[in-house]
């Protein structure tokens, strides 16, 4: 049985087995969560991302998929990078946002991770409305069979926290 917890704070300061990164398909860093994880996690993460680009993901990580690297200096064992869909004025595909959560849990299970921290994927630069993203995130975690014992949604501000809290009821 997976417990879902909400925390308001910085995902790079969480002590968990795996931290989920809201990456882009290049896997070479960016702003938001991606920038914070690389900044605090250090170059080891980018080194492994570059190795993934040079091997399995020559064309980049497709939207909705997930891949793990080491976590460098983060208080975690792994970073699970996933690429959320862009809202595009409502043309974004919600099944891809669900896939980000399902695939991140699948990778977590492969690793044996028992505690996993998720950001509010796609709700920043990618523009996805918080209410809808929170609904998709919570519903997907609730309906995905996994050995992960704790899913921790780490929300950066109270607007995001409230949106997720409304989904948990
Ligand atoms: N901890 C937790 N949440 C954070 C943090 C942090 N340190 N920094 C930002 N957030 C929140 C944002 O407020 C937003 O609610 O994470 C959510 C996701 O925002 P983004 O990081 O912008 O991710 P996303 O919308 O999925 O866009 C991905 O942004 O940073 C680039 O390289 C990334 O191109 C990719 C795109």
């Amino acid at each position: 049985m997976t417990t879902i917890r909400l925390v308001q704070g910085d995902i790079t300061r969480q002590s968990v087995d795996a931290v989920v990164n809201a990456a882009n398909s290049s896997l070479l860093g960016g702003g938001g969560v991606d920038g914070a994880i690389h900044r605090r996690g250090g170059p080891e993460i980018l080194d492994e991302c570059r190795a993934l680009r040079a091997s399995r993901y020559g064309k980049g990580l497709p939207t909705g998929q997930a891949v793990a690297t080491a976590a460098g200096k983060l208080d975690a064992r792994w970073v699970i990078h996933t690429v959320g869909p862009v809202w595009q004025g409502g043309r974004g595909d919600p099944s891809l946002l669900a896939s980000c959560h399902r695939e991140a849990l699948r990778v977590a299970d492969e690793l044996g991770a028992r505690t996993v921290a998720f950001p509010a994927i796609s709700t920043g630069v990618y523009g996805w409305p918080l209410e809808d993203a929170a609904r998709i995130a919570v519903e997907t975690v609730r309906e995905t069979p996994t050995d992960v014992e704790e899913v921790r949604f780490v929300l950066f501000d109270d607007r995001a926290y409230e949106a997720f809290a409304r989904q948990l009821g």
Side-chain angles (χ1 to χ4, degrees):
M1 180 61 198
T2 305
T3 303
I4 297 179
R5 275 186 63 208
L6 302 185
V7 164
Q8 184 164 342
D10 180 341
I11 198 165
T12 67
R13 292 183 178 279
Q14 301 302 310
S15 301
V16 287
D17 291 337
V19 171
V20 175
N21 181 23
N24 59 60
S25 58
S26 79
L27 288 178
L28 301 180
V33 170
D34 201 4
I37 285 174
H38 283 285
R39 233 183 346 268
R40 185 173 295 279
E44 184 187 356
I45 301 175
L46 191 57
D47 290 347
E48 290 202 16
C49 287
R50 286 208 178 97
L52 287 167
R53 286 298 312 276
S55 56
R56 283 170 60 192
Y57 294 100
K59 292 192 174 53
L61 181 66
T63 301
Q65 294 189 24
V67 69
T69 65
K73 298 187 182 67
L74 299 183
D75 192 4
R77 295 179 63 187
W78 303 283
V79 173
I80 297 175
H81 307 264
T82 189
V83 181
V86 183
W87 174 241
Q88 291 176 313
R91 290 191 308 279
D93 179 353
S95 73
L96 289 173
L97 186 54
S99 174
C100 285
H101 295 83
R102 204 169 29 252
E103 287 302 300
L105 290 174
R106 184 184 58 74
V107 171
D109 284 343
E110 282 175 2
L111 297 166
R114 290 287 176 271
T115 55
V116 178
F118 279 89
I121 299 167
S122 285
T123 65
V125 168
Y126 282 1
W128 208 279
L130 268 172
E131 286 301 320
D132 194 46
R135 176 183 59 77
I136 293 168
V138 171
E139 277 177 7
T140 306
V141 169
R142 279 180 168 155
E143 69 194 20
T144 301
T146 174
D147 296 330
V148 170
E149 289 157 7
E150 178 192 338
V151 164
R152 187 182 307 177
F153 286 108
V154 183
L155 294 323
F156 211 39
D157 53 38
D158 49 22
R159 224 166 57 79
Y161 187 92
E162 292 311 318
F164 274 75
R166 278 191 289 278
Q167 291 307 318
L168 288 187

